Amino acid sequence: MAAADLRAELDSLVLQLLWDLEELESKRAALNARVEEGWLSLSKARYAMGAKSVGPLQYASCMEPQVCVCTNEAQNGLQKFRVVRSGSQIPEEVGPCEAALRRRKGLTRIPEPEPFSASPNPLNWFGILVPHSLRQAQASFQEGLQLAVDMASLQIQINWGQSQLRGLQEKLKQLGLGAA
Amino acid sequence: MAGRGKLIAVIGDEDTVTGFLLGGIGELNKNRHPNFLVVEKDTTVNEIEDTFRQFLNRDDIGIILINQYIAEMVRHALDAHQRSIPAVLEIPSKEHPYDAAKDSILRRAKGMFTAEDLR
């Protein structure tokens, strides 16, 4: 009976793995398409701005990431990635900070809260007015990043599934040897 | 840094790195090493491997994107990486389309079953 339960568990695990692999391949095809679109747009931008105008020479000497990933742990202990974008603004508070009479003379300046330091747009490295193709390239690669993050989560899931599969296969072998 | 999550690193040709940096993943300041490497004609395999290993050992990097033709140069280092984080994703390059047969993840998946398992 234990062997039958193990086989059922093995079957559902294999099905889940195959589904994950199919999902991974479909996301990979989409990522490859986005990246190819991005390269084409970069080439168009180079055509418009000059061959050496879009490349490492234009990279900023100081960069802050606009996109990061956070890991969430699921119930089974699996890590899952989630995209986090910077530049989210804190709503500005309008109105007096303190309930106090304002003085006309010698008004004490209330220090303004520091603005949230949003990372500058990498498009700015290439100039003030950039061609539309460069914006399109940025959009394609941003979509590609979301797909890459999803693929990374799927890869972790597939690796976990493979280790579970090996464990179950081992248990089944031992049961088979024990019965013999 | 702890509050904003992990970085996405990229090792690739000029177009791949420029594209993903445009996407907003780049980090570079005087105190920290960059999270990207542009592989050019004169970039040595040792440099690529050193950078790849540095990215693997950094605890602030969650995902490493690498062109597949560059991954082939450091395949032994990729295959030796068994941890789930950082996740390593192989992507195509302009001159080298993606080949599923070379992908480390898919090669491991291909070896999941033996003929005996399917009896």
Side-chain angles (χ1 to χ4, degrees):
Chain A
M1 209 50 208
D5 290 340
L6 270 179
R7 284 184 200 283
E9 205 179 327
L10 202 57
D11 287 345
S12 75
L13 192 58
V14 167
L15 284 171
Q16 182 62 42
L17 263 173
L18 291 173
W19 190 90
D20 288 342
L21 281 166
E22 192 180 346
E23 183 74 9
L24 180 68
E25 283 315 290
S26 107
K27 288 210 184 273
R28 189 182 298 282
L31 170 65
N32 291 352
R34 297 288 85 74
V35 165
E36 282 167 20
E37 272 172 22
W39 290 328
L40 186 59
S41 299
L42 281 178
S43 297
K44 286 179 184 172
R46 279 200 188 95
Y47 183 75
M49 297 168 71
K52 297 286 179 191
S53 300
V54 182
L57 291 173
Q58 284 74 39
Y59 295 173
S61 55
C62 197
M63 298 179 195
E64 277 287 317
Q66 290 190 322
V67 177
C68 291
V69 288
C70 278
T71 50
N72 298 331
E73 200 167 302
Q75 282 179 344
N76 52 12
L78 267 183
Q79 302 277 6
K80 203 175 164 95
F81 287 111
R82 184 173 54 89
V83 173
V84 173
R85 292 184 190 277
S86 74
S88 56
Q89 294 184 359
I90 301 163
E92 188 188 332
E93 284 189 17
V94 179
C97 297
E98 302 172 347
L101 286 173
R102 281 198 312 176
R103 283 176 276 171
R104 285 176 189 258
K105 285 183 186 174
L107 181 67
T108 314
R109 190 174 178 79
I110 300 166
E112 287 175 4
E114 278 182 24
F116 179 80
S117 53
S119 314
N121 190 337
L123 275 177
N124 297 343
W125 305 342
F126 303 95
I128 305 294
L129 286 174
V130 296
H132 183 61
S133 48
L134 202 59
R135 294 182 191 279
Q136 283 179 322
Q138 185 181 52
S140 296
F141 279 101
Q142 281 174 340
E143 285 175 30
L145 279 169
Q146 180 60 61
L147 288 164
V149 169
D150 293 341
M151 283 169 64
S153 300
L154 277 169
Q155 273 185 197
I156 292 175
Q157 211 165 305
I158 288 166
N159 287 337
W160 177 83
Q162 281 180 297
S163 65
Q164 293 291 103
L165 188 74
R166 276 191 289 271
L168 282 176
Q169 284 172 332
E170 248 334 290
K171 275 188 199 170
L172 208 56
K173 264 185 198 164
Q174 283 168 6
L175 270 177
L177 288 170
Chain B
M1 183 59 216
R4 67 173 183 200
K6 292 183 188 281
L7 299 170
I8 301 173
V10 58
I11 300 175
D13 56 23
E14 183 179 312
D15 275 7
T16 303
V17 174
T18 302
F20 282 112
L21 291 185
L22 259 180
I25 65 169
E27 187 191 65
L28 177 62
N29 61 46
K30 59 183 178 181
N31 298 321
R32 297 173 67 82
H33 294 294
N35 65 332
F36 57 90
L37 173 69
V38 179
V39 173
E40 288 160 341
K41 278 177 276 190
D42 50 1
T43 308
T44 64
V45 175
N46 281 340
E47 279 178 76
I48 298 169
E49 192 173 336
D50 285 344
T51 304
F52 182 69
R53 290 193 194 281
Q54 277 171 29
F55 288 169
L56 287 180
N57 291 330
R58 281 174 63 167
D59 56 3
D60 61 344
I61 289 178
I63 299 175
I64 301 173
L65 302 172
I66 182 168
N67 283 138
Q68 192 174 52
Y69 84 96
I70 298 172
E72 277 295 293
M73 296 179 199
V74 294
R75 183 59 67 194
H76 54 284
L78 249 93
D79 286 344
H81 172 59
Q82 299 287 336
R83 288 179 288 135
S84 52
I85 293 175
V88 180
L89 284 180
E90 295 179 32
I91 54 180
S93 63
K94 271 167 84 170
E95 280 94 35
H96 304 86
Y98 175 76
D99 183 356
K102 294 179 183 170
D103 191 298
S104 289
I105 300 294
L106 293 183
R107 282 192 296 128
R108 273 183 222 160
K110 205 172 153 187
M112 260 194 313
F113 300 105
T114 62
E116 212 176 282
D117 295 328
L118 298 171
R119 250 188 246 160

